[in-house]
Amino acid sequence: MPPVVGTWHNINESAAFEIFLFTTVGLGVLAFLLVIVGMTLAPFIIDKVDHALGPLASEKEQFFKGLPLSARRMSSYGLKVLGRHTQWGQRRIYLDRPDRVTAVERSPAWIRNVVTWIYASFVIVAPIAFLLALSVIGIYD
């Protein structure tokens, strides 16, 4: 009996699966490159980023210069900068905090770009790549 075309049973042999796999691998490679660049860059620029975006840090957050914590803090800065012009960000991050608004507006453009394009992007891309990889594994098995 020939296989039925268009069913989930046969998806791992289709072009759709290949596109899904290619997208998953691409996002995984992008996440890997972002973490390599982010971990390499963090010790060199953390002081400048803390100086420019320090008011965005939470009160509990320590300003420890160690690698994992500084990369995590810069990811936090990036997500907060991304939330600057959203309703959620206005209510949760910037409400009654003009110092935070001023810090984002007066920070150099290269700092805003680095924390959003490298660190916040990793926080967004890595979980998506992981979930897609789990889906690919589930479909392939």
Side-chain angles (χ1 to χ4, degrees), residues 3-4 8 13 20 35 43 49 52 54-56 59 72 75-76 90 94 97-98 101 117 124 126:
V4 178
W8 283 106
E13 298 171 5
F20 190 57
V35 79
V49 174
L56 292 177
E59 289 77 25
R72 185 229 166 271
S75 296
S76 172
Q90 292 295 328
Y94 296 98
R97 293 294 305 262
V101 174
W117 285 102
I124 295 167

Side-chain angles (χ1 to χ4, degrees), residues 96-134:
D96 298 328
R97 293 294 305 262
D99 58 332
R100 289 182 171 182
V101 174
T102 304
V104 171
E105 290 174 354
R106 291 190 180 170
S107 64
W110 72 268
I111 288 179
R112 287 191 308 268
N113 288 335
V114 165
V115 297
T116 55
W117 285 102
I118 295 175
Y119 295 98
S121 294
F122 172 75
V123 172
I124 295 167
V125 169
I128 293 170
F130 181 73
L131 291 174
L132 287 177
L134 289 177

